[in-house]
């Protein structure tokens, strides 16, 4: 199963077919409300991939601000809104409430 199919099945993306003149039908993928909430995760994964995975030539999508078309970036923030480096973050075990099944 491809990643796009899995994201559609899990309600993160919605698939919409489209066709440009003299071209075959293709699928466009748009975020659902759940996908909108996951944008920060997708931006962070894109940044990680650009830094650590060899890139091939070709067309890609890039995360940009709607108003300015400038690239956006994911950052780690402390509770006061200050950017902190990844090396300053660790994961600790915390108690969680009982799982609720939707």
């Amino acid at each position: 199963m491809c990643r796009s199919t899995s994201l559609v099945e899990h309600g993160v993306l919605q698939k919409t077919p489209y066709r440009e003149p003299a071209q075959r039908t293709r699928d466009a993928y748009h975020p659902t409300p759940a996908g909108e909430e996951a944008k920060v995760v997708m931006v962070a994964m894109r940044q990680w991939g650009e830094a650590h995975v060899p890139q091939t030539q070709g067309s890609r999508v890039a995360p940009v601000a709607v108003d300015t078309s400038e690239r956006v970036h994911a950052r780690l923030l402390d509770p006061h809104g200050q950017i902190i480096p990844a090396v300053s973050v660790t994961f600790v075990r915390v108690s969680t409430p009982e799982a609720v099944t939707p």
Side-chain angles (χ1 to χ4, degrees), residues 38-100:
K39 278 184 180 178
V40 69
V41 175
M42 290 186 269
V43 170
M45 290 177 66
R46 171 71 188 227
Q47 281 175 218
W48 182 89
E50 289 173 346
H52 300 286
V53 177
Q55 304 294 306
T56 58
Q57 293 285 28
S59 178
R60 298 190 194 356
V61 296
V64 298
V66 172
D67 295 339
T68 64
S69 295
E70 294 179 317
R71 285 288 301 260
V72 296
H73 304 277
R75 298 286 187 252
L76 296 168
L77 303 177
D78 70 12
H80 308 288
Q82 299 296 312
I83 296 172
I84 56 175
V87 296
S88 296
V89 176
T90 190
F91 290 88
V92 297
R93 190 172 306 278
V94 296
S95 297
T96 59
E98 250 182 73
V100 177

Side-chain angles (χ1 to χ4, degrees), residues 21-37:
Q23 298 291 321
R24 67 179 177 84
T25 300
R26 298 175 185 263
D27 292 319
Y29 294 89
H30 304 282
T32 63
E36 289 292 335
E37 292 180 24

Side-chain angles (χ1 to χ4, degrees), residues 1-12:
M1 173 185 318
C2 75
R3 290 174 288 195
S4 300
T5 301
S6 180
L7 292 171
V8 169
E9 288 178 356
H10 287 89
V12 177

